Amino acid sequence: MNVLVTGGAGYIGSHVVRMLLKKGHSVVVIDNLSRGHLESVPEGVEFEKVSLLDYEGLRSAISRHPADAVIHFAAFAYVGESVEDPGLYYLNNVSGSVNLIRALNENNIKKVVFSSTCSLYGNPENVPISEKESLKPINPYAKTKYFIEQVLSDFDASFGMKYTALRYFNAAGADFDGLIGESHEPEPHLIPIVLQAALGKREKVMIFGDDYPTKDGTCIRDYIHVYDLADAHIRALEYLNSGNVSTVINLGTGTGYSVKEIIESARRVTGKEIKASVSQRRAGDPAVLIADNKKAREVLGWIPKYGLDDIIKSAWKWHQEPKY
Ligand code: UDP
């Protein structure tokens, strides 16, 4: 297929681009490089540096590259920043996505795989979390993803645009050959922070609260290797290409690890001491987020291949020698 990837220079997007190429698809990346890295886009891939907020530029880029489908990653994704500056998030994520979806529709591109999030479920009542859980996004970032799902649903109703919204749990890990990986500035995520501590780039890891109702008191998350995520995106494309209806699908492994277990595992894999101490809870952190991934298995035939050690090992390889 000819696939347009917005945000293809970002963390998850760049891994998906590589997998698409390996599977023989042809790829065009659209990215404004505000947070992505041009170095993560493989040589030979067509690249359009354009912002989703530039409607005319976007329309023209899309019309120049007839595509069968789009995978839409481009978005800001820091929860804390979205609370500090909600306008930035609504403008960039929601307005940008509305521009994209309109421009796709004008160009008769009617298949969209959308990068959504488990944070749509807020503080869920049922864990593991299935797609039937009620949607209660509790921060502006999560709300932007919620609104974009609604926009897609409305374009399906009015114009037959078919979409698969993939609600990710905690994306982690990196390419196994060490060429691309996670590089955020500032870095809010646990695994990169733990590995930076292992490298001596941070003095220690702050554990955000150890008084949660979990086995060791620290928060539990479902960490999913970025290559398992990438595989699910390609399956979602194939699902849409076979003429199926729009749907939403959770992507997680179904297994949760606590913050302390992550630090322990990183100590084991890296052989480094990794100092840690407990600080206050971070506002808005639910105690436990674990996916019920039955729908992904049934609808996409997707089975996550990688476990926590693969995640930490691949991330460790990257963080020891980041390329950007
Ligand atoms: N966390 C932590 N210390 C840090 C960063 C994160 O204890 O320096 C915890 C955080 O409270 C959460 C888990 O690690 O329970 C995963 O956080 P991350 O930001 O990686 O992903 P999130 O689940 O917030 O999307």
Side-chain angles (χ1 to χ4, degrees):
M1 295 170 82
N2 291 319
V3 187
L4 213 59
V5 181
T6 76
Y11 168 46
I12 302 172
S14 59
H15 288 82
V16 171
V17 165
R18 271 167 200 259
M19 196 175 280
L20 282 165
L21 295 172
K22 270 188 202 146
K23 304 240 170 191
H25 297 286
S26 122
V27 178
V28 178
V29 169
I30 291 185
D31 200 301
N32 66 359
L33 295 179
S34 66
R35 299 199 175 172
H37 305 273
L38 189 55
E39 303 93 312
S40 70
V41 180
E43 296 229 341
V45 167
E46 286 193 271
F47 181 80
E48 290 280 355
K49 184 172 185 294
V50 57
S51 164
L52 301 191
L53 296 177
D54 168 10
Y55 188 58
E56 288 310 321
L58 187 61
R59 276 179 61 187
S60 132
I62 291 173
S63 65
R64 271 183 273 120
H65 301 282
D68 303 303
V70 172
I71 309 184
H72 174 33
F73 294 102
F76 289 161
Y78 293 154
V79 171
E81 184 182 54
S82 80
V83 175
E84 282 158 25
D85 194 351
L88 178 73
Y89 273 65
Y90 286 113
L91 189 66
N92 188 68
N93 293 6
V94 180
S95 303
S97 296
V98 172
N99 278 346
L100 173 71
I101 294 163
R102 286 184 67 206
L104 294 175
N105 195 47
E106 273 185 40
N107 282 279
N108 210 28
I109 300 172
K110 307 263 189 182
K111 298 183 190 87
V112 182
V113 176
F114 174 55
S115 163
S116 190
T117 167
C118 73
S119 57
L120 259 58
Y121 302 115
N123 290 298
E125 273 154 39
N126 308 290
V127 178
I129 305 166
S130 82
E131 294 79 0
K132 295 195 187 81
E133 186 69 24
S134 55
L135 299 182
K136 288 172 289 183
I138 57 173
N139 57 63
Y141 162 67
K143 286 180 194 167
T144 66
K145 293 286 180 172
Y146 171 79
F147 290 137
I148 300 162
E149 286 195 8
Q150 300 301 308
V151 174
L152 285 166
S153 166
D154 289 342
F155 271 69
D156 185 2
S158 298
F159 306 111
M161 182 171 280
K162 299 297 171 211
Y163 66 94
T164 307
L166 299 175
R167 295 178 180 160
Y168 317 151
F169 284 64
N170 289 57
D175 191 322
F176 294 99
D177 56 21
L179 294 176
I180 53 173
E182 188 170 11
S183 175
H184 296 118
E185 189 51 48
E187 182 53 72
H189 295 120
L190 179 65
I191 291 177
I193 285 173
V194 168
L195 297 178
Q196 286 169 358
L199 285 166
K201 292 186 177 169
R202 287 176 190 258
E203 193 208 329
K204 60 181 175 180
V205 180
M206 303 306 295
I207 298 172
F208 297 152
D210 68 350
D211 56 351
Y212 285 94
T214 60
K215 53 192 173 186
D216 63 18
T218 66
C219 287
I220 292 180
R221 295 287 180 273
D222 183 335
Y223 296 89
I224 169 170
H225 195 279
V226 65
Y227 267 154
D228 277 327
L229 276 183
D231 177 37
H233 285 74
I234 291 167
R235 289 169 186 271
L237 273 183
E238 287 160 0
Y239 167 88
L240 292 175
N241 206 33
S242 305
N244 287 300
V245 295
S246 297
T247 192
V248 301
I249 295 180
N250 287 347
L251 291 180
T253 63
T255 302
Y257 294 99
S258 72
V259 175
K260 285 187 177 167
E261 285 174 327
I262 295 293
I263 297 170
E264 261 323 305
S265 161
R267 286 180 179 139
R268 205 178 51 247
V269 168
T270 65
K272 306 279 182 189
E273 183 194 359
I274 311 182
K275 289 194 186 118
S277 64
V278 177
S279 66
Q280 280 183 335
R281 289 182 175 198
R282 184 171 70 179
D285 270 341
V288 183
L289 294 174
I290 298 174
D292 173 342
N293 62 18
K294 190 162 169 264
K295 189 169 174 187
R297 289 172 186 265
E298 285 177 2
V299 173
L300 302 179
W302 174 80
I303 298 171
K305 285 209 257 319
Y306 303 110
L308 184 59
D309 268 21
D310 302 311
I311 288 175
I312 307 263
K313 275 182 197 155
S314 58
W316 179 231
K317 180 161 190 173
W318 165 255
H319 283 283
Q320 287 178 98
E321 223 177 304
K323 309 286 185 286
Y324 43 85

